[in-house]
Amino acid sequence: YGKTRVPTPRMLEGLDAVVFDLQDVGSRYYTYIYTLLHVLEACAREGRRVVVLDRPNPLGGEAVEGNVLDPEYRSFVGMHPLAVRHGMTAGELGLMFREELDLDVDLRVVRMRGWRREMDFEDTGLPWVLPSPNMPTPDTAFVYPGGCLVEGTNLSEGRGTTRPFELVGAPWLDGPALARSMEREKLDGAGFRPAAFTPTFHKHADRLCHGVQVHVTDRRRFDAFRAYVLLLHHIRKQNPRRFGWREPPYEYEYVKPPIDILFGNDRLRRTIDAGTSPKRLARRWPRQLEAFEQRRKKYLLY
């Protein structure tokens, strides 16, 4: 997020290797893994080694969730056809990037000791150090595979509060009615509580917003992507005149709508704008996830 996202030849001049040591959060949109991809591409061109010091996936390494990115919608929040919740570590993703993009690069992954795929982040015993300002707790990471979609709208995703991505709202929403609509969906592993909050910055800063807080009651059963897709549908249904999609630019994309590059295609936007429940979109996801799980098998280190 500086003057360049890609290491320049001058940056790599005189180096033997580049060491990648960043804590990812397990969602396709989170850009640290694409910084790794850019480093791999640059080091392939310049003949430098890449060393990844692997770290836990905070969401664990078993469950996958959501859809798989359409390559036509590649951006800095989705540079490779991954599932939204990919269940891979940075080292495993580096191995996938190298092979699937045919990168001639010397990649070394320093494996973790003691990590098992079924572990939540708290199971590791490691301290949670914020990977970025709006990722304050592991709870945030567990809603983020769905909550990040709210960035593609005119709704507050809770930035500027202590519970980003768990709180969703706008000044014009009816929070209790929205909570009732979501409870009728009977989604596993979560409850929806009417909430009022005032963001201190970002969208609707210093304005009282009404909406819901998403309470995850069972991480193993909660599907964040499905939950937030339905949340957007019910918000738009409640007030189609006030609800809107965020316009570009967003994350270095200047043409495609932000919701399209986050979702990985334009189907969610078109479906919600038509007033149709996105449940029909979800029928496509199991087959996509099955194919993704087959692709990822050969890169799993743990």
Side-chain angles (χ1 to χ4, degrees):
Y1 287 99
K3 294 181 180 179
T4 177
R5 285 164 287 148
V6 182
T8 64
R10 185 173 181 181
M11 290 175 181
L12 299 177
E13 190 176 330
L15 300 183
D16 297 308
V18 175
V19 178
F20 180 91
D21 183 22
L22 290 172
Q23 178 62 59
D24 183 43
V25 302
S27 292
R28 182 177 72 208
Y29 331 102
Y30 209 65
T31 60
Y32 291 177
I33 57 175
Y34 306 122
T35 295
L36 172 59
L37 175 51
H38 283 316
V39 167
L40 289 169
E41 291 172 331
C43 288
R45 287 192 298 270
E46 301 299 321
R48 301 293 187 270
R49 177 179 295 170
V50 178
V51 180
V52 175
L53 307 185
D54 216 2
R55 289 174 176 248
N57 184 321
L59 310 183
E62 293 184 327
V64 297
E65 174 184 316
N67 63 1
V68 175
L69 179 83
D70 182 334
E72 183 183 342
Y73 288 82
R74 288 177 77 253
S75 73
F76 197 46
V77 290
M79 292 186 64
H80 200 68
L82 303 175
V84 172
R85 178 176 174 178
H86 48 70
M88 300 176 73
T89 68
E92 292 168 344
L93 285 164
L95 295 172
M96 174 182 272
F97 295 156
R98 180 178 66 174
E99 177 156 332
E100 294 192 346
L101 296 173
D102 196 23
L103 299 174
D104 183 12
V105 60
D106 181 2
L107 169 62
R108 309 290 176 92
V109 178
V110 179
R111 300 189 190 196
M112 295 176 278
R113 290 195 298 265
W115 186 72
R116 300 184 304 279
R117 304 202 79 83
E118 69 271 16
M119 284 181 165
D120 289 353
F121 190 83
E122 292 91 338
D123 296 331
T124 68
L126 297 171
W128 179 264
V129 179
L130 284 72
S132 56
N134 286 286
M135 197 60 59
T137 71
D139 291 338
T140 321
F142 272 92
V143 299
Y144 190 70
C148 188
L149 294 172
V150 184
E151 290 192 9
T153 73
N154 63 352
L155 306 167
S156 169
E157 63 273 12
R159 289 179 184 268
T161 76
T162 58
R163 306 305 286 188
F165 301 106
E166 294 175 62
L167 288 167
V168 178
W172 39 266
L173 265 175
D174 182 335
L178 179 60
R180 289 193 296 270
S181 295
M182 290 303 296
E183 289 294 346
R184 283 195 290 270
E185 293 287 356
K186 299 188 183 306
L187 297 172
D188 291 336
F192 300 85
R193 179 183 65 83
F197 59 94
T198 303
T200 58
F201 59 85
H202 206 55
K203 298 179 201 167
H204 307 303
D206 300 321
R207 298 181 67 193
L208 181 63
C209 292
H210 303 276
V212 295
Q213 181 175 356
V214 181
H215 290 272
V216 179
T217 56
D218 186 338
R219 289 177 175 177
R220 304 293 175 188
R221 298 168 62 212
F222 177 57
D223 185 327
F225 191 70
R226 182 184 297 265
Y228 281 78
V229 162
L230 287 169
L231 185 61
L232 294 183
H233 164 64
H234 284 291
I235 290 172
R236 197 261 183 198
K237 189 176 178 181
Q238 183 184 119
N239 199 326
R241 186 177 64 84
R242 302 292 294 275
F243 174 82
W245 303 109
R246 184 174 175 177
E247 295 291 330
Y250 171 75
E251 293 289 355
Y252 308 99
E253 167 61 46
Y254 296 90
V255 178
K256 293 184 176 69
I259 191 61
D260 291 3
I261 61 173
L262 287 167
F263 188 74
N265 58 61
D266 65 359
R267 295 188 192 105
L268 178 65
R269 176 172 55 84
R270 293 182 181 280
T271 297
I272 288 180
D273 281 349
T276 305
S277 172
K279 286 180 182 177
R280 68 181 185 85
L281 295 177
R283 299 186 195 123
R284 305 167 180 255
W285 302 341
R287 184 175 296 179
Q288 293 180 16
L289 292 176
E290 184 179 348
F292 173 73
E293 288 194 276
Q294 289 300 315
R295 279 173 50 212
R296 77 172 195 151
K297 272 183 181 178
K298 59 161 69 168
Y299 309 112
L300 302 184
L301 299 173
Y302 311 92

